[in-house]
Amino acid sequence: MSDIANVATGATVVALTNVHKSFGPLKVLDGVTFDVARGDVLCIIGRSGSGKSTALRCIDRFETIDSGEIVVCGRKVHDPALDLRALRQDVGIVFQSYNLFPHLTIEENITLAPTCVKGTSKAEAREQARAALAQVGLSDKIQHYPEQLSGGQQQRAAIARSLAMRPKVMLFDEVTSALDPELTGEVLKVIEGLAADGMTMVMVTHEMGFARSIADRVVFMHRGKVHEHGTAAVLTTPTTPELAQFLGTGL
Amino acid sequence: MSDIANVATGATVVALTNVHKSFGPLKVLDGVTFDVARGDVLCIIGRSGSGKSTALRCIDRFETIDSGEIVVCGRKVHDPALDLRALRQDVGIVFQSYNLFPHLTIEENITLAPTCVKGTSKAEAREQARAALAQVGLSDKIQHYPEQLSGGQQQRAAIARSLAMRPKVMLFDEVTSALDPELTGEVLKVIEGLAADGMTMVMVTHEMGFARSIADRVVFMHRGKVHEHGTAAVLTTPTTPELAQFLGTGL
Amino acid sequence: MKINLDFGAILERWPSFVSGAIMTLELAVIATVLGTAIGVLGAIARRSGHPVATRVAAFYVESIRNTPLLVQIFLVYFGLASLGVKFPAFTVAAAALTINVGAYTTEIIRAGFDAIPKAQIEAAEGLALSKPQIYWHVVMLPAIEKVYPALTSQFVLLMLASSVTSQISAEELTAVANYIQSDTYRAFETYILVAIAYVALSLVMRAGFYGLGLVMFPRRRRLGTPL
Amino acid sequence: MGGSLNVNHLAFLANGALWTIGLSLIALVGGGLAGFVVALARISPLRAVRILAAGYVQLIQGTPLLVIMFLTYFGLPPLGITVSPLTAASVSLTVYVGAYLGEIWRGCIESVPKQQWEAAEGLALSRTQRMMRVILPQAVRIATPPTVGFMVQIIKNTSLASVVGFVELARAGQIINNALFEPFLIYLIIAVVYFALCYPVSRLSRRLEASQGRPRLSVETA
Amino acid sequence: DLLDDVMKAKKIRIATDMAIPPSGMMDSAMKPTGSDVETAQLLAKDWGLEIEWIQTTGATRIPNVQTNKADIIVSTLSVTPERAKVIDFTKPYAALQSVVGCLKTATVKDWADLKDKTIAVSRGTTQDTELSNMKDRNLKLARFDDDATMVTAAVSGQADCVASSATIVNQIGVKNPGRVFEPKVPIRNFDLAIGVRQGEPKMIEKLNEWIAANLKNGKLNEIYKKFHGSELPPEMRG
Ligand SMILES: Nc1ncnc2c1ncn2[C@@H]1O[C@H](COP(=O)(O)OP(=O)(O)OP(=O)(O)O)[C@@H](O)[C@H]1O
Ligand SMILES: Nc1ncnc2c1ncn2[C@@H]1O[C@H](COP(=O)(O)OP(=O)(O)OP(=O)(O)O)[C@@H](O)[C@H]1O
Ligand SMILES: [Mg+2]
Ligand SMILES: [Mg+2]
C-alpha cells in the first residue's frame, strides 16, 4: 500500500485508510481516510459527535476499529501483535481535561514516564523535565502540585509531560475547551511554538481563528466521514454547504 | 433617590447604586452603579474574576452586599424585610451550568415552580410549560429527562423553566460558555427572540459578536468597577485601553 | 473424627424455620421503614444549623455508632423494664433495631444531602420555591438516589444483625435455630441451614430493593440505568 | 453467686477489652491483606476471577459473622484441619473483613477517574506501573476515611469471637452479669468501654473525611 | 481410645458453660465455681488429672466434644432420646428439679392459672421443650438465650413467671427484694448426665463407675446441696 511505502520514506507519519468504527448500533467513523506528513500540523474540525475524538483516540489505540487500517510511524496500530507501549512512546496525547496526576508534583508528573518506561536516570529525567517546562513557559512551577496551578497552567504542564517522552507525533484533543479565553491564549501560544519547531501534530479544535493561522492541513468531519479536506484555505473558502454552515455558526 | 422614582414611573426595572461587596479581604464589587430600563438588554462583559457573576447574583439576592443599594421592580433587594420569594417571582435567573433537576422530566422541571409557588393548577401549568418549550423550540422533548438532552437543549429547557414563572426580568450568567459553538447558536437564538419580545434582560456573556448584535447597553467591568458603560458601540470603538485589550484577547 | 450430618431431624421442623425467617424479615422491614424516617429527620436536623438540633442528632449518631447493637438492645430492654414499662419482646426488638439503624441512615442520608450540588438548590431558590419545597422536590429524591446502594446494604446488614434480638426473646431465625440446635444437639446442620436462610433472605431483600428502586426512580428505569 | 462489682471484675473486663483490641488488630491486618486481593480480583481483566470474587463477596456479605465463626471453628476439624480458637477467629475475621474492605477499596479504585488510567496509558506505562504509580496512590487517599470508619465496625464485631471460646469484652461482661445480675450497670460499663475504644477511631475517620472534603458513602455493620 | 489418651496426658479437657449459675459461674475472684465445676474438680482429683476448662456457650457445648476440642461435657446436660442420637450420656449424676415460679403475691396454684401469663424460659432447655409440648394448656413462652438473661428479665420486671430450677427461682428475690419469686407449679425432674462423644464405651463405663460411687458416698449430693439448696432426689441417692 502506498501509505506504508510513504512512511518508509519518512514522508507520512500518520495514515488512516478507510477506517470504520461503531459503538453498538452507532456508526461513529464511516470510512475515514487522511494522512499527516512529518512536521505537518493537521487540524480536525467538525460538529460535536461527528467522530473527531474517536478518530484521534483510534490513532493511539485507545479505541479498537472495526475495519480499515491505521499506520503510525510505520506501525500498524491495529495489528494484534503490535507493541502497544512502543507505539505510545512515539505518540504523545493530551486531552481536554489535563489529567495530570494529582498526587505528584509537576516534576514527578513529567519524570514518571521517562524513568519508568525508558529507564532514563532520575537526574537526566529531571533535566528533561526542566527543559520541557521551559518550552511551555512554566519553569517556576516545577515543585507545585497540579491543584495549585490554573487551568491553563495545568494544560501546559500536561503538554510538557507528553513532550518529555520525546514523541514523534503529538495528538491534542480540544486542549483549550475547558479554558476561558485568556487561558486559551497561553496554551495556543505553546502549540504554535511546537509547530514552529517542526513537531508533527494532529489536533481537534474548536478555535477556528487558531486553526486558520496554524494548520498545514484541515480535515472537516461530518457524521463520521471526512467531508472536506484541504489546506487552511478551506476555512475561508469552504466548498461544501455543511462546512460553510459550520463555520457560520462557529462564531 | 432618582432611581427609585424612575422605577415608580416604570422606566427603570433594575438599578444598582454604588454597590460594594467583599469576600473576606477580596474586594469584588467596588462601587458598582448601573441601571436597566424596561425592555432593555444589558450585557455585562469583562475578564474572569472581575465581578460580573457576583453583580448578577446580588441582583437576585444570592449574595448579600456590604453597602450601596439595589432596587429591582420597585423592591429594595437588601432590605431585611424583603419578601425574598416575591422578588424571585419577578426575576428569573439562568446559570452557566443549566441546573435542571435531574430526577424530573423537562415538563416536571417546568411545572414545579408554578404549581408549588403560584398555585397554578396542574393542567394549566402543563399548558404553560408547553408554551414556554415552544418558545425555545423544544416542544418534542417535553417528556424527556435532562440527561437525555444535549447541552444546548438543556440550557434552553432551563430558560423555559424560568420563563414559565413569567418573570419581569431575566438574568443570564454566561449561559453559553459550557456549550460548543453550534449549541451556543441555538441558545443565543432563543435569547434574541426574547429580546425581540421586549423582555428585560441582564446578561453576562463572553460572546462579543452576540453582545454587539443584541445589547442595548453594555457594561464593561474591570477589577470590581464599571470601567466603561455605554451602547453596543463601545464594543467597536472602546474608549479605554483596558476594554480595547479585553476585546483584543477576548477572541 | 467424624460427624454424620443428618438434616432429617432439622428439616422436620421447617415450619419453625419459616416462622423465624418471617419474623426476621418483619423486623428488618419495620426497622427499614422507621429507620428511613428517622434518618431523613436526623439528616435534616444535622444540617439545620440549629445548635440544639444539630447536637442532639450528633449525640444520637455517635453514641449508637460507637457501641455494639447487643449492648443497646439490653439497655433498651432492661432499661424500659426498670422504668416499669413492659412491651412484648417483638416491639422492643423492633424499636431497638430502628433506633440503631436510624443512626446509620442519618449519616448516609446526610451524605446524600451533602452530595446535592449547591447549584441545584440555588436554581430552586431562583424559582422562588420555599425551603420545605426545596427539600421535598429537589433535594430528597436525588439525595436518596445517590446513596441508595449504601442505604440498601445497610438495611441488609441490619437484617443480619437482627439475630441478636434472640437474646431478648424475639423468636426470629437465630432464636429458632438456637432452640432447635439445643433441643436436638445438631448444631452443624442447624447452622448450615441458617447460613443458607440468611443468604436467601439477603437476596430477597436485595431483590426487593432493586424493585423498589425501579418504582422510586422512574428516570433510572426509563434510561435503563437502574441502581 | 451474687456479690457486688469488685476490682476483680474490672480486671476481668480489662482483660476482655485487651482481647477485643487484639482481635481487632488481627482482623485489620488479615482482612486488609485479603481485602487488597479481593479488590484487585474484582477489577481483574479476567472475567472468571471477577465472577469468583463477586461470588465470594456476595456469600460472605449475606452470612452473619457468628455463623462464619462457628463453621470455621467446628466445621474444619471434620475435614481433617485442626484449628485453635485463635486461628479460627483470625481466619473468620480475615474472610469477613476481607469481603467488606475489598468492596470498599474496589469502589475507591474505581472512583479514580477513567481519564487518569488513560493518561497513564498514553504515557506508555505498563498495567502494573499504572496501578502502582498512578491509581493506587490516589485510591489510598480516597480509601483512608472509609477504611478507618470500618475499623469501628471491626472492633464491635470481634464480640462474636465468644462463640469460639474467646472471653472478650462483651462476653466478659455477660459472664460477670450472670454472676451479679446487674444488667443495667454492667452493660452501661461495657457500652462506655466500647465507646472509648470506637469513638476516637470514628473521630479520626471524620477528620480524614473532612480533610478531603468527601462525604461518607461507606457501609457499616450494626 | 479417649480414656487411654486422657490418662496418658494426665489432663482432661472439660467443656462447661460458665454463664449458667449456679451450675457454672465465676466467683467474686473470677474463678470458676458452681455445682458442675465442683463435680468436675472432684472427678479430676479422684482420677489424678489436671483440668483444662473449655469455655463454651450454650450453642457450642456439643460441637466442642464432637470435634475433639473437649473430652467430656459437664454442663447441666439433661438427657433426652433426641439428644442421645448425637452424643452418648453417662448415668445421671444429678437431677434438675424444674418448676414454674411466679411472684410470691401471684395467685397461681396450677396449670390453669398460668394460662395467658407469659413464662420466661431458657431457650432449648428441657423446660422449654416440656412446656412447648403442652399445646393444650395455652402457655405463652418468652424464650431467652440463657438462664442469666432470663433471670435478669424476671428481676427487672420483664417477666412475671419463669420455668427453671427451684434454685434459680429463689435467686430472683435475692437480687430484687421487691420481686420475690417462689416455686408454684412443679414441672418434673430431669436427669443430668455427663456427655461424651459417640463410640467411647470405655470412658462411659469408667465415668458410670465413678458416678455410682460418688452418689453412694454422698459427695455428689453434698455438692448439689451446696449450690442448689436442696438434696438430690432420694431414689438417686440410692
Ligand atoms: N465509549 C463510547 N460508547 C458509546 N458511544 C460513544 C463512545 N464514545 C463516543 N461515543 C459516541 O460517538 C459519537 C462520536 O463521539 P466523538 O467523541 O468522537 O465526537 P466528537 O466529534 O469528538 O464530539 P465533541 O466535539 O463533542 O467532542 C458521539 O455520538 C458519542 O456519543
Ligand atoms: N463565594 C465566594 N467566596 C470567595 N470568593 C469568591 C466567591 N465568589 C466569587 N469569589 C471571588 O470573587 C471574584 C469575582 O468573582 P466573579 O464570579 O464575580 O467573577 P466573574 O467576573 O463572574 O468571573 P468569570 O468570568 O470567571 O465567571 C473572583 O476572584 C472570585 O474568586
Ligand atoms: Mg471530542
Ligand atoms: Mg462568572
PDB file of all heavy atoms in Angstrom, chain D residues 1 6 22 24 26 32 64 67 79-80 87 134 136 145 150 180 185 187 207 210 218:
ATOM      1  N   MET D   1     -23.147 -17.462  94.239  1.00  0.00           N
ATOM      2  CA  MET D   1     -23.447 -16.463  93.214  1.00  0.00           C
ATOM      3  C   MET D   1     -23.782 -15.143  93.868  1.00  0.00           C
ATOM      4  O   MET D   1     -24.139 -15.090  95.040  1.00  0.00           O
ATOM      5  CB  MET D   1     -24.575 -17.008  92.332  1.00  0.00           C
ATOM      6  CG  MET D   1     -25.917 -16.336  92.384  1.00  0.00           C
ATOM      7  SD  MET D   1     -26.989 -17.031  91.121  1.00  0.00           S
ATOM      8  CE  MET D   1     -27.670 -18.473  91.873  1.00  0.00           C
ATOM      9  N   ASN D   6     -16.554  -5.805  91.980  1.00  0.00           N
ATOM     10  CA  ASN D   6     -15.301  -5.515  92.674  1.00  0.00           C
ATOM     11  C   ASN D   6     -14.164  -5.394  91.675  1.00  0.00           C
ATOM     12  O   ASN D   6     -14.365  -5.500  90.464  1.00  0.00           O
ATOM     13  CB  ASN D   6     -15.012  -6.585  93.730  1.00  0.00           C
ATOM     14  CG  ASN D   6     -14.769  -7.939  93.088  1.00  0.00           C
ATOM     15  OD1 ASN D   6     -14.334  -8.025  91.945  1.00  0.00           O
ATOM     16  ND2 ASN D   6     -15.052  -8.997  93.814  1.00  0.00           N
ATOM     17  N   GLY D  22      -6.872  -6.829  70.562  1.00  0.00           N
ATOM     18  CA  GLY D  22      -6.005  -7.761  69.842  1.00  0.00           C
ATOM     19  C   GLY D  22      -6.701  -8.362  68.630  1.00  0.00           C
ATOM     20  O   GLY D  22      -6.154  -8.378  67.518  1.00  0.00           O
ATOM     21  N   SER D  24      -9.167  -7.113  67.047  1.00  0.00           N
ATOM     22  CA  SER D  24      -9.387  -6.066  66.046  1.00  0.00           C
ATOM     23  C   SER D  24      -8.156  -5.884  65.176  1.00  0.00           C
ATOM     24  O   SER D  24      -8.261  -5.726  63.954  1.00  0.00           O
ATOM     25  CB  SER D  24      -9.716  -4.732  66.728  1.00  0.00           C
ATOM     26  OG  SER D  24     -10.823  -4.877  67.562  1.00  0.00           O
ATOM     27  N   ILE D  26      -5.786  -8.093  64.595  1.00  0.00           N
ATOM     28  CA  ILE D  26      -5.659  -9.259  63.714  1.00  0.00           C
ATOM     29  C   ILE D  26      -6.597  -9.115  62.526  1.00  0.00           C
ATOM     30  O   ILE D  26      -6.216  -9.332  61.369  1.00  0.00           O
ATOM     31  CB  ILE D  26      -5.993 -10.550  64.503  1.00  0.00           C
ATOM     32  CG1 ILE D  26      -4.909 -10.804  65.543  1.00  0.00           C
ATOM     33  CG2 ILE D  26      -6.134 -11.727  63.545  1.00  0.00           C
ATOM     34  CD1 ILE D  26      -5.247 -11.938  66.488  1.00  0.00           C
ATOM     35  N   GLY D  32      -7.174  -6.757  55.871  1.00  0.00           N
ATOM     36  CA  GLY D  32      -6.589  -5.790  54.944  1.00  0.00           C
ATOM     37  C   GLY D  32      -5.904  -6.495  53.782  1.00  0.00           C
ATOM     38  O   GLY D  32      -6.114  -6.146  52.613  1.00  0.00           O
ATOM     39  N   PRO D  64     -24.204 -14.088  58.494  1.00  0.00           N
ATOM     40  CA  PRO D  64     -23.781 -13.447  59.740  1.00  0.00           C
ATOM     41  C   PRO D  64     -22.397 -13.940  60.156  1.00  0.00           C
ATOM     42  O   PRO D  64     -22.072 -15.113  59.976  1.00  0.00           O
ATOM     43  CB  PRO D  64     -24.840 -13.882  60.752  1.00  0.00           C
ATOM     44  CG  PRO D  64     -25.996 -14.358  59.944  1.00  0.00           C
ATOM     45  CD  PRO D  64     -25.438 -14.868  58.658  1.00  0.00           C
ATOM     46  N   VAL D  67     -22.127 -17.100  62.239  1.00  0.00           N
ATOM     47  CA  VAL D  67     -22.212 -18.369  61.527  1.00  0.00           C
ATOM     48  C   VAL D  67     -20.872 -18.702  60.883  1.00  0.00           C
ATOM     49  O   VAL D  67     -20.418 -19.849  60.897  1.00  0.00           O
ATOM     50  CB  VAL D  67     -23.339 -18.307  60.483  1.00  0.00           C
ATOM     51  CG1 VAL D  67     -23.358 -19.561  59.639  1.00  0.00           C
ATOM     52  CG2 VAL D  67     -24.675 -18.101  61.171  1.00  0.00           C
ATOM     53  N   LEU D  79     -13.048 -32.008  58.478  1.00  0.00           N
ATOM     54  CA  LEU D  79     -12.369 -32.110  57.187  1.00  0.00           C
ATOM     55  C   LEU D  79     -10.885 -32.400  57.381  1.00  0.00           C
ATOM     56  O   LEU D  79     -10.104 -32.372  56.429  1.00  0.00           O
ATOM     57  CB  LEU D  79     -12.533 -30.817  56.396  1.00  0.00           C
ATOM     58  CG  LEU D  79     -13.977 -30.350  56.191  1.00  0.00           C
ATOM     59  CD1 LEU D  79     -14.008 -29.011  55.474  1.00  0.00           C
ATOM     60  CD2 LEU D  79     -14.755 -31.391  55.415  1.00  0.00           C
ATOM     61  N   GLY D  80     -10.508 -32.638  58.630  1.00  0.00           N
ATOM     62  CA  GLY D  80      -9.126 -33.006  58.884  1.00  0.00           C
ATOM     63  C   GLY D  80      -8.208 -31.834  59.171  1.00  0.00           C
ATOM     64  O   GLY D  80      -7.000 -31.980  59.202  1.00  0.00           O
ATOM     65  N   THR D  87      -6.739 -19.267  65.736  1.00  0.00           N
ATOM     66  CA  THR D  87      -6.709 -19.433  64.275  1.00  0.00           C
ATOM     67  C   THR D  87      -8.107 -19.242  63.704  1.00  0.00           C
ATOM     68  O   THR D  87      -8.296 -18.545  62.712  1.00  0.00           O
ATOM     69  CB  THR D  87      -6.218 -20.846  63.901  1.00  0.00           C
ATOM     70  OG1 THR D  87      -5.168 -21.192  64.780  1.00  0.00           O
ATOM     71  CG2 THR D  87      -5.767 -20.904  62.475  1.00  0.00           C
ATOM     72  N   VAL D 134       0.164   5.306  39.624  1.00  0.00           N
ATOM     73  CA  VAL D 134      -0.840   6.340  39.355  1.00  0.00           C
ATOM     74  C   VAL D 134      -2.152   6.094  40.102  1.00  0.00           C
ATOM     75  O   VAL D 134      -2.649   6.971  40.807  1.00  0.00           O
ATOM     76  CB  VAL D 134      -1.116   6.441  37.835  1.00  0.00           C
ATOM     77  CG1 VAL D 134      -2.234   7.439  37.568  1.00  0.00           C
ATOM     78  CG2 VAL D 134       0.156   6.845  37.102  1.00  0.00           C
ATOM     79  N   LEU D 136      -3.218   3.499  42.505  1.00  0.00           N
ATOM     80  CA  LEU D 136      -3.256   3.183  43.934  1.00  0.00           C
ATOM     81  C   LEU D 136      -2.922   4.374  44.832  1.00  0.00           C
ATOM     82  O   LEU D 136      -3.616   4.586  45.820  1.00  0.00           O
ATOM     83  CB  LEU D 136      -2.345   1.983  44.241  1.00  0.00           C
ATOM     84  CG  LEU D 136      -2.937   0.637  43.822  1.00  0.00           C
ATOM     85  CD1 LEU D 136      -2.019  -0.508  44.252  1.00  0.00           C
ATOM     86  CD2 LEU D 136      -4.327   0.426  44.391  1.00  0.00           C
ATOM     87  N   PRO D 145     -10.411   7.329  54.746  1.00  0.00           N
ATOM     88  CA  PRO D 145     -11.519   7.565  55.686  1.00  0.00           C
ATOM     89  C   PRO D 145     -12.493   6.391  55.796  1.00  0.00           C
ATOM     90  O   PRO D 145     -12.788   5.972  56.918  1.00  0.00           O
ATOM     91  CB  PRO D 145     -12.206   8.806  55.112  1.00  0.00           C
ATOM     92  CG  PRO D 145     -11.209   9.435  54.229  1.00  0.00           C
ATOM     93  CD  PRO D 145     -10.339   8.342  53.716  1.00  0.00           C
ATOM     94  N   PHE D 150     -14.536   1.820  58.915  1.00  0.00           N
ATOM     95  CA  PHE D 150     -14.913   0.409  59.015  1.00  0.00           C
ATOM     96  C   PHE D 150     -14.255  -0.254  60.226  1.00  0.00           C
ATOM     97  O   PHE D 150     -14.783  -1.205  60.783  1.00  0.00           O
ATOM     98  CB  PHE D 150     -14.536  -0.320  57.726  1.00  0.00           C
ATOM     99  CG  PHE D 150     -15.032  -1.740  57.678  1.00  0.00           C
ATOM    100  CD1 PHE D 150     -16.375  -2.011  57.536  1.00  0.00           C
ATOM    101  CD2 PHE D 150     -14.154  -2.806  57.800  1.00  0.00           C
ATOM    102  CE1 PHE D 150     -16.836  -3.310  57.516  1.00  0.00           C
ATOM    103  CE2 PHE D 150     -14.608  -4.108  57.782  1.00  0.00           C
ATOM    104  CZ  PHE D 150     -15.964  -4.361  57.637  1.00  0.00           C
ATOM    105  N   LEU D 180     -23.565 -11.507  88.804  1.00  0.00           N
ATOM    106  CA  LEU D 180     -24.029 -10.403  89.651  1.00  0.00           C
ATOM    107  C   LEU D 180     -25.485  -9.999  89.422  1.00  0.00           C
ATOM    108  O   LEU D 180     -26.101  -9.401  90.282  1.00  0.00           O
ATOM    109  CB  LEU D 180     -23.153  -9.158  89.420  1.00  0.00           C
ATOM    110  CG  LEU D 180     -21.666  -9.297  89.699  1.00  0.00           C
ATOM    111  CD1 LEU D 180     -20.987  -7.944  89.534  1.00  0.00           C
ATOM    112  CD2 LEU D 180     -21.437  -9.827  91.103  1.00  0.00           C
ATOM    113  N   LEU D 185     -26.200  -1.762  85.024  1.00  0.00           N
ATOM    114  CA  LEU D 185     -24.886  -1.238  85.359  1.00  0.00           C
ATOM    115  C   LEU D 185     -23.807  -1.826  84.448  1.00  0.00           C
ATOM    116  O   LEU D 185     -22.989  -1.116  83.858  1.00  0.00           O
ATOM    117  CB  LEU D 185     -24.572  -1.570  86.827  1.00  0.00           C
ATOM    118  CG  LEU D 185     -23.156  -1.208  87.270  1.00  0.00           C
ATOM    119  CD1 LEU D 185     -22.981   0.311  87.267  1.00  0.00           C
ATOM    120  CD2 LEU D 185     -22.876  -1.778  88.658  1.00  0.00           C
ATOM    121  N   TYR D 187     -23.953  -3.482  81.537  1.00  0.00           N
ATOM    122  CA  TYR D 187     -23.998  -3.157  80.112  1.00  0.00           C
ATOM    123  C   TYR D 187     -23.680  -1.702  79.851  1.00  0.00           C
ATOM    124  O   TYR D 187     -23.129  -1.343  78.811  1.00  0.00           O
ATOM    125  CB  TYR D 187     -25.340  -3.575  79.512  1.00  0.00           C
ATOM    126  CG  TYR D 187     -25.417  -5.072  79.372  1.00  0.00           C
ATOM    127  CD1 TYR D 187     -26.304  -5.831  80.125  1.00  0.00           C
ATOM    128  CD2 TYR D 187     -24.540  -5.747  78.532  1.00  0.00           C
ATOM    129  CE1 TYR D 187     -26.338  -7.209  80.036  1.00  0.00           C
ATOM    130  CE2 TYR D 187     -24.555  -7.129  78.440  1.00  0.00           C
ATOM    131  CZ  TYR D 187     -25.459  -7.852  79.191  1.00  0.00           C
ATOM    132  OH  TYR D 187     -25.460  -9.216  79.094  1.00  0.00           O
ATOM    133  N   ARG D 207     -12.250  13.197  60.638  1.00  0.00           N
ATOM    134  CA  ARG D 207     -11.258  14.229  60.362  1.00  0.00           C
ATOM    135  C   ARG D 207     -10.650  14.004  58.979  1.00  0.00           C
ATOM    136  O   ARG D 207     -10.456  14.936  58.203  1.00  0.00           O
ATOM    137  CB  ARG D 207     -10.149  14.183  61.411  1.00  0.00           C
ATOM    138  CG  ARG D 207     -10.443  14.958  62.654  1.00  0.00           C
ATOM    139  CD  ARG D 207      -9.456  16.132  62.824  1.00  0.00           C
ATOM    140  NE  ARG D 207      -8.060  15.716  62.802  1.00  0.00           N
ATOM    141  CZ  ARG D 207      -7.463  15.101  63.804  1.00  0.00           C
ATOM    142  NH1 ARG D 207      -8.132  14.825  64.895  1.00  0.00           N
ATOM    143  NH2 ARG D 207      -6.193  14.773  63.713  1.00  0.00           N
ATOM    144  N   ALA D 210     -13.118  15.008  56.363  1.00  0.00           N
ATOM    145  CA  ALA D 210     -13.248  16.456  56.248  1.00  0.00           C
ATOM    146  C   ALA D 210     -12.064  17.019  55.484  1.00  0.00           C
ATOM    147  O   ALA D 210     -12.211  17.891  54.630  1.00  0.00           O
ATOM    148  CB  ALA D 210     -13.342  17.081  57.634  1.00  0.00           C
ATOM    149  N   SER D 218     -19.770   5.121  52.773  1.00  0.00           N
ATOM    150  CA  SER D 218     -19.414   3.723  53.020  1.00  0.00           C
ATOM    151  C   SER D 218     -20.498   3.034  53.837  1.00  0.00           C
ATOM    152  O   SER D 218     -21.344   3.652  54.451  1.00  0.00           O
ATOM    153  CB  SER D 218     -18.096   3.661  53.759  1.00  0.00           C
ATOM    154  OG  SER D 218     -18.198   4.432  54.930  1.00  0.00           O
TER     155      SER D 218
END
